[in-house]
């Protein structure tokens, strides 16, 4: 996590939403984006899943090469 966090600024430049870096302890570290949404409303599912897919793809494109180098 520290190796990723050291590249925080360059990673943030590639993701178009604010990244949240959360570390509670050595076993629980997260980097994530967030959006409010109501998954109980089926009418919103397409919109929410498109958003999720977009950021999963961005995370894959940005983090995969970095993690492979680490």
């Amino acid at each position: 996590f520290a190796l990723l966090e050291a590249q925080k600024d360059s990673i943030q430049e590639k993701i178009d939403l604010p990244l949240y870096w959360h570390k509670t302890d050595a076993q629980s570290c997260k980097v994530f984006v967030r959006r409010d949404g109501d998954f109980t409303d089926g009418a919103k599912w397409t919109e929410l899943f498109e958003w999720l897919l977009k950021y999963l793809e961005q995370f894959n494109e940005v983090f995969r090469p970095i993690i492979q180098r680490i």
Side-chain angles (χ1 to χ4, degrees):
F1 187 79
L3 295 173
L4 287 173
E5 200 170 28
Q7 301 176 57
K8 186 177 184 175
D9 292 336
S10 66
I11 291 170
Q12 180 61 72
E13 289 174 6
K14 298 172 187 166
I15 306 282
D16 63 357
L17 279 179
L19 290 172
Y20 295 89
W21 297 77
H22 184 69
K23 181 178 179 180
T24 40
D25 57 46
Q27 299 298 316
S28 179
C29 303
K30 304 171 203 155
V31 180
F32 60 94
V33 292
R34 59 178 297 153
R35 172 195 170 156
D36 291 333
D38 181 4
F39 279 95
T40 63
D41 181 357
K44 300 275 187 186
W45 285 3
T46 299
E47 174 188 345
L48 294 171
F49 282 114
E50 286 173 355
W51 181 90
L52 180 60
L53 178 61
K54 174 183 176 179
Y55 288 98
L56 286 172
E57 289 172 342
Q58 277 191 17
F59 268 57
N60 183 54
E61 290 172 14
V62 172
F63 283 96
R64 180 183 294 270
I66 295 168
I67 291 170
Q68 287 175 333
R69 283 193 306 266
I70 294 173

